[in-house]
Amino acid sequence: AAGMASDKKGDDDEDEEPTDEELEQMSKQVFDELKSSKTGKINSASFKKWEGIQDEVNNGLLTTAEVDSVLQDVLGDNVKAGLDFEQFQKVMDLLEEVMAAKEDFDNDDIDYAAGMASDKKGDDDEDEEPTDEELEQMSKQVFDELKSSKTGKINSASFKKWEGIQDEVNNGLLTTAEVDSVLQDVLGDNVKAGLDFEQFQKVMDLLEEVMAAKEDFDNDDIDYAAGMASD
């Protein structure tokens, strides 16, 4: 269902992403399918049962409590009154913000080369060094966790909030300005379009170079993390 993408703008022209006008039309189409023929509104129960919401809940990107909270914010005491089209769009926008702001992607389980080598693995575990193929798989797994289910890309805000980046910023190995600069280098004028997998790898590669230039990393650590971002 395209409704969840109602506020996505300018995603990559090469993928023939819909225009704002087309997104508006798709959003209206979803609204018309869900609304009650009697009231002309979408009742809250129908909205929560809608596949577009259920998919995000099943993917762990939303909770039913968050959906209820957003409905409460938009409808106030009139939750039972249902959503008109403008309110439907507002709810969708707020839910997109909730998902974009989430940082709990279980990255501790993924560990993306211990947060871009911040844990300095490799010194004592040389026999357990992952193969290029395993590194590629881990990189893809992280990408899949961070990407938007609608666009298939990682938006810049989610990338910058990702634990792997935040750790390096907190450790003083990267600055937000450097991250912004690398995103600009890779995405150009399409910063809002988000990163596809190849661009994600390129960004990771460039950030590794920035950090490597700053600090004399152990070679094993650099290879381990940079390998995640190379073919």
Side-chain angles (χ1 to χ4, degrees):
M4 292 298 284
S6 61
D7 69 345
K8 295 286 180 187
K9 296 184 177 68
D11 282 326
D12 191 333
D13 291 337
E14 293 179 2
D15 294 339
E16 297 181 0
E17 286 293 329
T19 63
D20 289 348
E21 186 179 340
E22 288 171 333
L23 285 170
E24 176 90 5
Q25 289 172 349
M26 285 191 286
S27 186
K28 187 70 170 68
Q29 187 176 3
V30 172
F31 177 82
D32 288 342
E33 288 174 5
L34 294 176
K35 73 181 181 184
S36 161
S37 56
K38 294 179 183 176
T39 65
K41 296 182 177 183
I42 302 173
N43 70 56
S44 299
S46 296
F47 179 77
K48 290 188 285 186
K49 288 177 184 173
W50 171 42
E51 184 183 19
I53 295 298
Q54 287 298 306
D55 284 350
E56 303 306 339
V57 171
N58 293 337
N59 290 337
L61 296 178
L62 285 176
T63 66
T64 51
E66 286 166 339
V67 177
D68 285 335
S69 174
V70 166
L71 288 169
Q72 179 72 43
D73 288 346
V74 173
L75 291 171
D77 295 331
N78 296 315
V79 173
K80 292 184 179 178
L83 300 161
D84 60 25
F85 181 55
E86 186 178 343
Q87 291 168 325
F88 170 67
Q89 289 183 300
K90 179 65 174 172
V91 166
M92 297 309 300
D93 286 346
L94 290 172
L95 289 175
E96 285 288 349
E97 289 174 18
V98 169
M99 291 190 291
K102 275 200 174 180
E103 296 176 39
D104 54 342
F105 290 104
D106 295 326
N107 284 327
D108 288 337
D109 297 334
I110 297 165
D111 208 21
Y112 197 72
M116 291 167 62
S118 61
D119 290 346
K120 297 290 183 284
K121 288 187 178 179
D123 291 333
D124 302 320
D125 302 324
E126 287 181 1
D127 350 336
E128 297 179 16
E129 198 70 19
T131 64
D132 288 346
E133 186 179 344
E134 288 171 334
L135 287 169
E136 176 84 8
Q137 287 173 348
M138 283 192 285
S139 184
K140 188 70 171 68
Q141 188 178 5
V142 173
F143 178 81
D144 288 342
E145 288 287 336
L146 294 175
K147 74 182 181 183
S148 160
S149 58
K150 255 69 66 205
T151 64
K153 297 182 179 183
I154 302 174
N155 71 56
S156 299
S158 295
F159 179 77
K160 288 188 285 186
K161 289 176 183 173
W162 170 43
E163 183 183 45
I165 294 298
Q166 286 298 305
D167 284 350
E168 303 309 334
V169 171
N170 293 337
N171 291 336
L173 297 177
L174 286 175
T175 66
T176 52
E178 286 166 338
V179 177
D180 285 335
S181 174
V182 167
L183 287 169
Q184 180 73 42
D185 288 346
V186 173
L187 290 170
D189 295 331
N190 293 317
V191 172
K192 291 184 179 177
L195 300 161
D196 60 25
F197 182 54
E198 186 177 343
Q199 291 167 327
F200 170 67
Q201 289 182 301
K202 179 66 174 171
V203 166
M204 297 306 298
D205 201 19
L206 290 172
L207 289 175
E208 284 294 337
E209 289 175 15
V210 170
M211 291 191 293
K214 280 190 178 182
E215 191 168 293
D216 186 21
F217 285 107
D218 177 273
N219 287 335
D220 285 337
D221 295 329
I222 292 175
D223 290 344
Y224 185 79
M228 305 267 270
S230 60
D231 294 328

